[in-house]
Amino acid sequence: MNEQTIKAFIDSRQKASENTKLAYFYDLRAFVTFLEGNELTQTQLNLYQLELQSLAKSSQHRKITNINTFMKYLYQNGKLAHFFEMHIVPYQHQELQDNDQRQPKLLDVSQYYLQVKKPGDLIALLILEFGLKPSEIQSLKWSEFNWDFKILTVATGGIKRILPIRDKFARLVRPIKNADELFSKSRQFLHYELKKTSTLTSAELREQYILQRVAERVSIYDLAKNLGLKSIHSLDKYYR
């Protein structure tokens, strides 16, 4: 099992939507990574199913269903000598929706869009608008903000992400002339300046970015791509 067999499987699902194909890719790549080239056995499957138990039942159900479909495809095409499958986890769609204490809250962040007069104001907006970590803000350059095409290019770990710039962000931030000076500062400086502006930490502001995108019905796969994540596991709890 490798990414080549995953691609062949996804290509065979011609009627699947793009979101479904992305779900197959993320779920199957995580499964193949777990196997680490070891021979597939029922014991390996049981161990992987135990690892999935920390996720919501709905997420477990999707991943197990996708993996079982993949293994059936491999067996039918002579890639597996034996047919294996994991036990399907039943779930109810509304299982956690009434548990408000466990659900992250979408807050009113309109106060952050009133002005940009201090470094902390800009830092907060960069997190709220693009979901950036302080380390990613440090790697920014003012030239990467393309105001004509309304896109921001973020390059981290050798991967480039192209993120849309919204009008309300552009109106506040475009007049700034010395942003590169801020981007060159230490992470400690960024956290210190953010505290002067916000009662929320950088992690809490990043979570508000995620919650805003979820409320806008951005798919979990598009959101993972925008955040530069290698898997969707950390986002599952926001889509319960």
Side-chain angles (χ1 to χ4, degrees):
M1 291 187 187
N2 52 39
E3 288 201 9
Q4 187 176 353
T5 54
I6 292 174
K7 183 178 184 303
F9 164 71
I10 293 174
D11 289 344
S12 73
R13 316 298 290 182
Q14 296 180 358
K15 294 183 179 180
S17 68
E18 288 304 312
N19 276 349
T20 299
K21 290 179 179 179
L22 280 170
Y24 280 134
F25 177 74
Y26 279 110
D27 293 345
L28 298 179
R29 185 175 65 174
F31 175 58
V32 169
T33 300
F34 172 82
L35 292 177
E36 293 184 334
N38 294 319
E39 182 182 355
L40 179 64
T41 64
Q42 191 63 49
T43 299
Q44 291 278 12
L45 288 180
N46 293 343
L47 289 172
Y48 191 66
Q49 188 150 10
L50 284 173
E51 186 171 284
L52 296 179
Q53 287 183 354
S54 62
L55 303 177
K57 290 288 181 64
S58 56
S59 297
Q60 293 182 52
H61 180 90
R62 187 198 72 237
K63 293 175 187 296
I64 291 171
T65 299
N66 288 348
I67 292 168
N68 283 347
T69 304
F70 179 51
M71 290 190 293
K72 183 177 180 180
Y73 162 84
L74 294 177
Y75 176 71
Q76 291 175 338
N77 286 272
K79 304 294 184 182
L80 287 178
H82 304 282
F83 176 62
F84 299 98
E85 66 178 353
M86 287 191 281
H87 173 67
I88 296 292
V89 176
Y91 76 98
Q92 294 179 341
H93 287 281
Q94 303 297 323
E95 62 179 345
L96 293 176
Q97 301 229 338
D98 294 330
N99 192 345
D100 289 338
Q101 291 183 345
R102 295 183 62 184
Q103 288 292 96
K105 298 287 187 180
L106 181 61
L107 304 176
D108 179 7
V109 293
S110 57
Q111 67 190 46
Y112 295 98
Y113 292 87
L114 298 178
Q115 60 184 9
V116 178
K117 292 186 175 180
K118 305 185 297 292
D121 297 337
L122 176 56
I123 296 166
L125 276 182
L126 288 168
I127 300 172
L128 283 172
E129 283 292 297
F130 305 108
L132 299 180
K133 299 176 183 177
S135 59
E136 292 173 322
I137 294 174
Q138 283 183 290
S139 68
L140 290 177
K141 293 181 176 60
W142 191 239
S143 60
E144 292 168 334
F145 291 82
N146 189 317
W147 303 107
D148 294 329
F149 290 96
K150 295 182 180 179
I151 56 172
L152 167 63
T153 302
V154 179
T156 53
I159 299 174
K160 283 189 176 182
R161 289 134 60 195
I162 307 299
L163 305 176
I165 295 176
R166 299 195 294 182
D167 288 340
K168 64 178 182 178
F169 175 84
R171 283 195 297 270
L172 287 167
V173 175
R174 188 172 185 177
I176 295 174
K177 303 299 182 184
N178 60 342
D180 279 329
E181 182 179 341
L182 172 64
F183 301 151
S184 66
K185 298 295 185 180
S186 69
R187 201 175 309 177
Q188 291 79 6
F189 177 87
L190 298 183
H191 284 295
Y192 177 74
E193 290 299 321
L194 181 61
K195 282 184 179 180
K196 295 180 181 179
T197 292
S198 175
T199 57
L200 300 177
T201 65
S202 60
E204 290 168 336
L205 288 169
R206 182 174 160 90
E207 182 171 64
Q208 288 304 307
Y209 165 83
I210 293 170
L211 291 171
Q212 287 179 40
R213 301 295 89 79
V214 173
E216 293 165 4
R217 300 187 179 278
V218 173
S219 77
I220 191 172
Y221 308 102
D222 288 339
L223 183 52
K225 181 179 178 181
N226 289 345
L227 288 167
L229 301 177
K230 294 182 179 179
S231 78
I232 60 174
H233 285 182
S234 62
L235 298 178
D236 274 321
K237 64 181 179 181
Y238 300 105
Y239 285 84
R240 290 172 178 171

